[in-house]
Amino acid sequence: MVGQPDIALVSGDFWGRNPHEELAWLRRNDPVHWDEAGSVWGITTYADVRAVSKQPELFSNAGGIRPDTGPIPMMIDMDDPEHWRRRKLVNRGFTPARVRAQADRIREVVDGLIDAVCEKGECDFVADIAAWLPLVIIGDALGVEPEDHPTLLKWSDDLMRGQGQTDESLVLAMMGAFEGYTSYIDGVIEDRATCPRDDLMSVLVHAEVDGDKLDKDEIVHESLLILIGGDETTRHVITGGLYQLLADPQQWDRVLADRSLVPSVVEEALRWVSPIKNMARTATRDVELHGKQIHEGDTLLLLYPSANRDEDHFPDPFRFDSTRTPNDHVAFGFGPHFCLGAALARLELEVSLTTVLDRLPDIRLVDDAEPPHRPANFISGYESMPVRFAPTAPIGVRG
């Protein structure tokens, strides 16, 4: 690549493909890059992404984690002490015991999804399996009735497809999804207030720490964050990791023969896919970084896919290595805002991969070409991935 490539860090189209050649150029030539069109500083290296994440007193979340919308009243758009107050309440729904208790349900859902396609000998792995597993698990947690899961999936998709887009129809669909979700979840909140169940929404409605409780508006926004963070991200890692294994059959065969590799495959898939493409921080005062003068009020964009392919931190970063260790990626962020649902995501990834290995051992790609990406500037991944396998009989579970 000669000269500076075409870079547009807040564009959905930029992230809706594979921009790693451009990101590598930035790390080599302009690691703290001013993006004029987006009015943001792109932070590209692993060391700098971690450093900015660890200094909320210098680089605040309170200006909003999206560069084009401003702050939203959810904990990810807050600094301490407000962030910690909110996080302590929401954390009641993500205790280790609650996460561990999900394992059987996750396996049941994956088995049900495979049952629906196994006799056909082919499916679109995104549309038929990967998109549904995290959606169902999050839907269960949020108190969404099974018959409403398709609507929840559409809302989730529409919310993400509108990010970083100028197409009016996509933006209107995103706004409609927010309104639809808000109206729906209001009813769930009212129900759980008087009739609590063993689900995350009941925990959020009734959680109390040091006299603090979440009000209805706070529950709406935190549950929406859980939906987007838990559904959209996990589906892309499931698909992106499986694609890398299937594109290199030797790696697939190796994991098939040695299931102890599943946890390291999951971590490598998280590093490789980095489904959250970026989050914003706001400079609280003038500061210099790599010789660049960042002014108070400037927006910085933490580029997680770039950090996770940084040649100065990861040996041979452009090779998907199912045995990579250590693998201290930043796919879940870093610092005070480390992903609250990381343990649940890892569990879903491990169970889903193990189940596919067990039930579809001869799965293969229909097309070796890399699948198309979703054009979105926040969370992005493969839109479709056709696969084939030997037809088998369903095992008969409730999905």
Side-chain angles (χ1 to χ4, degrees), residues 1-19:
M1 186 176 292
V2 178
Q4 179 173 324
D6 186 17
I7 294 168
L9 296 180
V10 300
S11 165
D13 291 334
F14 178 80
W15 295 104
R17 54 184 178 81
N18 187 340

Side-chain angles (χ1 to χ4, degrees), residues 147-337:
E147 60 268 24
D148 295 327
H149 284 161
T151 302
L152 188 66
L153 181 63
K154 185 179 187 305
W155 286 334
S156 182
D157 285 345
D158 287 346
L159 285 164
M160 288 299 96
R161 287 195 176 102
Q163 293 286 332
Q165 296 295 322
T166 57
D167 186 319
E168 184 177 359
S169 64
L170 294 176
V171 175
L172 288 174
M174 178 175 66
M175 295 170 61
F178 177 76
E179 292 173 1
Y181 176 81
T182 300
S183 177
Y184 182 95
I185 215 69
D186 273 350
V188 177
I189 292 170
E190 291 177 6
D191 176 77
R192 297 308 188 270
T194 56
C195 302
R197 306 183 194 177
D198 184 22
D199 59 22
L200 175 62
M201 186 57 70
S202 296
V203 172
L204 295 180
V205 170
H206 294 279
E208 183 173 343
V209 177
D210 299 330
D212 288 329
K213 296 186 67 173
L214 297 169
D215 63 30
K216 179 181 286 190
D217 187 59
E218 290 171 336
I219 296 170
V220 168
H221 283 92
E222 295 305 337
S223 66
L224 183 61
L225 176 63
I226 290 166
L227 168 63
I228 294 171
D231 170 34
E232 296 287 336
T233 55
T234 306
R235 78 155 84 170
H236 295 317
V237 179
I238 292 172
T239 309
L242 181 63
Y243 171 78
Q244 291 302 317
L245 292 177
L246 298 181
D248 182 356
Q250 288 186 335
Q251 288 209 70
W252 175 257
D253 290 343
R254 185 175 186 178
V255 181
L256 195 61
D258 183 2
R259 305 305 174 81
S260 70
L261 292 174
V262 167
S264 64
V265 171
V266 165
E267 296 307 314
E268 183 69 341
L270 286 160
R271 181 190 75 89
W272 188 267
V273 176
S274 298
I276 295 179
K277 304 308 175 185
N278 51 72
M279 286 196 186
R281 299 290 187 268
T282 303
T284 61
R285 57 179 182 266
D286 291 354
V287 61
E288 186 176 298
L289 193 59
H290 278 293
K292 301 293 182 69
Q293 188 63 45
I294 296 171
H295 296 289
E296 179 181 349
D298 281 358
T299 300
L300 296 83
L301 212 55
L302 306 182
L303 307 182
Y304 299 116
S306 179
N308 280 336
R309 301 281 182 98
D310 189 341
E311 302 85 347
D312 290 339
H313 188 80
F314 295 99
D316 200 6
F318 286 89
R319 180 171 67 91
F320 186 93
D321 181 0
S322 57
T323 64
R324 185 182 297 274
T325 184
N327 194 346
D328 52 345
H329 59 77
V330 290
F332 289 122
F334 188 77
H337 287 274

